[in-house]
Amino acid sequence: MSYDPPRPAGRLLLTPEDKDAPARVRRLRRLGLGERAEPAFDAFADRLAEVAAAPYSMVNFIDEEQQFFAGLHTPDGGAKGSDLAATADGAELEVGRYMARDHGFCPHVVVRRKALVLEDVCDYPRFAGNPVVDDFGVRSYLGAPLIDRTGIALGTICVVDVEPRPWGKAGLETIKSMAAELVERLERREGVQGF
């Protein structure tokens, strides 16, 4: 029998088991989502960042292995890389279109199927151990699931900041409202494409 010594509470975070992943992937493929960036999603992420006054925002579709930011807003307006990466001094985020499933908080939102508000991730031992906290300096997160008419959580929309943020009830209502708006757009898109 092997023994693993206890780790600090901040490092106990595991990516949640996602039993709906195969159905989500089938649904995403049927909708033509999660494999390429689209200007409409980038525009939505831009508007989300503006409404939330946040430096980073994403429209995120999640499969069994990774997260794909179909919509992305960064302070510099670019998505040059292919992965989330720290700058040389570790002080800023360089955000690309892909991120591992065990990084960030969106996989938790998809599995929980509820919005998540982390005004300061360091206040929550369950989330403080996530790699994006130490490696990239993420300090606050606000996200909501994109649950379509079939009941599948396709992904999330989210905003993040490198500073603690008092999102409050207004932030929660905003992220939920904008998620509902995007789901409505996705459903209209499905009708137009004849699915």
Side-chain angles (χ1 to χ4, degrees):
M1 181 191 304
S2 65
Y3 171 74
D4 290 326
R7 295 182 298 170
R11 300 290 177 243
L12 293 178
L13 175 73
L14 298 175
T15 303
E17 183 180 0
D18 187 358
K19 295 177 183 176
D20 294 333
R24 177 180 316 105
V25 170
R26 285 190 301 274
R27 182 79 175 133
L28 288 170
R29 298 306 174 255
R30 187 174 308 144
L31 293 170
L33 299 171
E35 296 181 313
R36 67 185 184 287
E38 295 185 28
F41 291 135
D42 283 337
F44 188 90
D46 290 342
R47 190 165 66 92
L48 177 59
E50 182 179 335
V51 168
Y56 300 92
S57 66
M58 295 94 171
V59 174
N60 186 7
F61 297 113
I62 301 172
D63 67 21
E64 292 137 319
E65 304 296 324
Q66 64 188 2
Q67 303 175 66
F68 175 69
F69 302 129
L72 178 62
H73 173 88
T74 64
D76 67 3
K80 299 176 185 83
S82 61
D83 295 299
L84 187 66
T87 58
D89 63 17
E92 296 181 22
L93 291 175
E94 180 183 310
V95 181
R97 296 285 178 173
Y98 294 92
M99 189 164 67
R101 246 190 117 259
D102 63 349
H103 284 60
F105 310 112
C106 289
H108 296 271
V109 171
V110 166
V111 170
R112 290 168 26 122
R113 303 172 55 84
K114 295 190 321 188
L116 179 62
V117 179
L118 300 172
E119 294 183 343
D120 185 342
V121 296
C122 295
D123 289 343
Y124 302 89
R126 177 176 181 203
F127 296 106
N130 194 283
V132 297
V133 176
D134 290 338
D135 296 348
F136 312 116
V138 171
R139 286 295 299 274
S140 61
Y141 171 90
L142 178 63
L146 299 169
I147 301 174
D148 80 347
R149 65 174 176 74
T150 67
I152 294 175
L154 300 173
T156 66
I157 61 169
C158 69
V159 293
V160 297
D161 203 332
V162 295
E163 301 291 332
R165 292 285 301 270
W167 303 112
K169 187 174 181 176
L172 176 62
E173 292 306 316
T174 297
I175 200 79
K176 289 166 60 176
S177 172
M178 292 197 72
E181 177 186 325
L182 185 56
V183 167
E184 187 176 302
R185 286 187 188 185
L186 293 174
E187 289 173 352
R188 282 196 310 261
R189 167 190 173 128
E190 181 178 27
V192 169
Q193 292 181 350
F195 289 100

